[in-house]
Amino acid sequence: MCLDLMEFLYRVMEELSYAGVPIVFKGAMVLNLAIRDNNPSKVERATRDIDGDWIGEIPSMEEMEKALRNAVKKVDSSLDVQASRIFAERKSAGFRITNEMGEKIASIDLSVRQNRFCRPYVSYVNGISITGASLAKMLSDKLYAISGESVCRRMKDVLDIYVMSFITKIDMDELRQIWIETGRELGNFDAYKTQIVKLDEAYNKMKGIKNKPNFIEVYSRVNDVICKLEYQKGMEAPIKIK
């Protein structure tokens, strides 16, 4: 494959969108489109994954694999797609994009669930519109991900919140509605507030980040976001911070 990996992944997303495959894309690929023309943070995070929500009728693994394979092969006929993880409740389906030698070059993770919190984005590769999660939905997902005890494994989400904080605001009503509809309950952010040394170590191990800021800058800005969230929330039901 001679294409740049990110460009290749965007072209796969374009093909899936053009074919009408019912996916709402999310994650770093979508965030990179959202900040392409407006990124005050100057930070860019490379990725080797496509993430999304399959929002149509509940599919079979074979149906998902076929749709992905068709899109990949239209971009590069030498590549293939293999299922690596079957979806279940609270578990996404996993797929590997492989070369002729069977080596993985990228991954695709698809959750099977509805997602009405979406909007169109324009891919910079061929100008094709794709459906992606809204900034509020991505922010809600990432805040939820770092609110629990496993935050040290979620440093990419911490960095993404840092980037998003420059281009969006905390809208508690919108976030509350998303958490209610997705059945999520925030943790108390205790690990984020107390495991600073471990977070620093995890952050310093992150690679593939352009204009990577120092840890304290990222940590402090995201901590400000958390404090604003807790202040605006006012400890009101139904979203509980334990």
Side-chain angles (χ1 to χ4, degrees):
M1 186 182 73
C2 59
L3 285 176
D4 170 80
L5 180 58
M6 293 282 282
E7 180 179 336
F8 165 74
L9 294 176
Y10 280 120
R11 288 184 62 182
V12 171
M13 292 164 66
E14 290 176 351
E15 290 292 344
L16 289 166
S17 300
Y18 186 74
V21 180
I23 297 174
V24 173
F25 297 101
K26 57 188 182 182
M29 296 295 292
V30 174
L31 181 56
N32 285 338
L33 290 181
I35 64 175
R36 184 167 177 81
D37 297 318
N38 177 30
N39 183 12
S41 75
K42 306 300 182 184
V43 178
E44 296 178 26
R45 180 169 69 83
T47 182
R48 299 175 62 87
D49 305 307
I50 293 174
D51 294 302
D53 292 328
W54 185 287
I55 61 170
E57 298 283 333
I58 296 178
S60 64
M61 286 295 296
E62 290 75 17
E63 180 183 354
M64 299 170 81
E65 186 176 320
K66 180 180 179 180
L68 297 177
R69 180 176 290 113
N70 287 343
V72 166
K73 285 192 171 294
K74 284 186 177 180
V75 180
D76 189 329
S77 61
S78 72
L79 303 180
D80 199 6
V81 171
Q82 300 173 348
S84 58
R85 184 178 60 252
I86 298 173
F87 72 87
E89 186 176 359
R90 298 186 179 276
K91 186 169 72 172
S92 62
F95 301 88
R96 301 164 67 245
I97 300 176
T98 57
N99 61 21
E100 293 171 302
M101 294 176 287
E103 299 168 329
K104 185 180 82 168
I105 63 168
S107 300
I108 302 176
D109 291 319
L110 296 176
S111 299
V112 178
R113 61 187 174 198
Q114 298 305 307
N115 182 355
R116 73 176 187 85
F117 302 100
C118 55
R119 49 155 286 194
Y121 296 85
V122 177
S123 169
Y124 69 86
V125 179
N126 291 307
I128 293 176
S129 178
I130 67 171
T131 301
S134 67
L135 284 174
K137 179 62 166 65
M138 289 193 286
L139 181 59
S140 74
D141 288 346
K142 293 176 184 301
L143 284 167
Y144 172 78
I146 72 166
S147 70
E149 294 300 313
S150 62
V151 63
C152 290
R153 300 197 300 271
R154 308 298 308 190
M155 285 309 299
K156 65 178 184 178
D157 294 310
V158 173
L159 183 61
D160 287 349
I161 293 170
Y162 169 84
V163 173
M164 294 174 69
S165 71
F166 286 89
I167 60 171
T168 190
K169 64 178 183 178
I170 299 292
D171 185 330
M172 195 59 217
D173 290 337
E174 189 171 16
L175 292 174
R176 180 184 290 111
Q177 187 61 37
I178 294 171
W179 285 320
I180 290 172
E181 291 197 22
T182 55
R184 285 177 165 175
E185 183 176 305
L186 290 183
N188 54 20
F189 295 99
D190 274 357
Y192 185 84
K193 296 172 183 176
T194 60
Q195 297 184 22
I196 300 176
V197 173
K198 290 182 179 180
L199 290 170
D200 189 2
E201 292 173 352
Y203 180 76
N204 288 326
K205 292 178 181 178
M206 294 178 68
K207 307 296 182 184
I209 301 168
K210 184 178 179 180
N211 299 319
K212 185 178 182 181
N214 67 63
F215 170 73
I216 293 300
E217 180 181 347
V218 173
Y219 180 87
S220 298
R221 190 174 181 94
V222 173
N223 191 59
D224 287 345
V225 171
I226 292 170
C227 290
K228 289 176 183 177
L229 173 68
E230 293 177 325
Y231 175 77
Q232 290 184 28
K233 180 182 174 299
M235 307 302 289
E236 295 176 2
I239 305 300
K240 292 190 293 183
I241 293 182
K242 299 176 183 177

